[in-house]
Amino acid sequence: QVQLVESGGGLVQAGGSLRLSCAASGTFLSINTMAWYCQAPGKQRELVAVITSSSSTDYADSVKGRFTISRDNAKNTVYLQMNSLKPEDTAVYYCKANVFTRNLKFNDYWGQGTQVTVAS
């Protein structure tokens, strides 16, 4: 069983910053790719940023230059530093981890989501 717990969301003024964290716990062998998604009201969940086990990263065009994804493998934690926030960044942010389980399979796990609200 693997659990992902997110934290760091909240209300911020436009132009401000937030740092999201997502910690994985449970019994597993390793974590492969980790990612952040967002879902705004009435919209589909979409990829924001992804980081591989070797820390290669990729970002949605809308956040390039403003958001930074990073990970601490010793803590099984992924972070999303969000700078220069815009009202259109308002959404529920979810982390996802691709985990190599004790059953020798790769499974995807999701966190419960954390609300980010950017006021204009």
Side-chain angles (χ1 to χ4, degrees):
Q1 191 75 0
V2 178
Q3 298 83 37
L4 300 180
V5 178
E6 298 129 338
S7 61
L11 173 64
V12 66
Q13 293 293 316
S17 299
L18 284 174
R19 189 192 193 208
L20 306 183
S21 300
C22 173
S25 63
T27 304
F28 51 87
L29 296 180
S30 64
I31 301 177
N32 187 23
T33 300
M34 305 184 82
W36 288 96
Y37 287 73
C38 69
Q39 187 168 19
K43 295 187 177 181
Q44 290 188 333
R45 192 173 298 187
E46 58 184 25
L47 179 66
V48 175
V50 60
I51 185 167
T52 68
S53 57
S54 58
S55 294
S56 294
T57 60
D58 198 9
Y59 298 90
D61 287 343
S62 60
V63 306
K64 283 180 180 177
R66 300 189 298 122
F67 291 8
T68 302
I69 189 171
S70 61
R71 64 190 287 172
D72 184 333
N73 291 329
K75 296 181 179 179
N76 294 319
T77 299
V78 63
Y79 305 96
L80 186 67
Q81 179 65 44
M82 310 165 70
N83 298 330
S84 302
L85 282 161
K86 305 175 181 180
E88 51 263 44
D89 294 321
T90 295
V92 178
Y93 284 74
Y94 299 89
C95 70
K96 186 179 82 170
N98 183 250
V99 177
F100 191 44
T101 69
R102 294 178 70 183
N103 295 327
L104 305 183
K105 294 181 179 180
F106 285 99
N107 291 333
D108 285 336
Y109 295 88
W110 290 87
Q112 81 285 357
T114 185
Q115 177 70 46
V116 171
T117 302
V118 184
S120 57

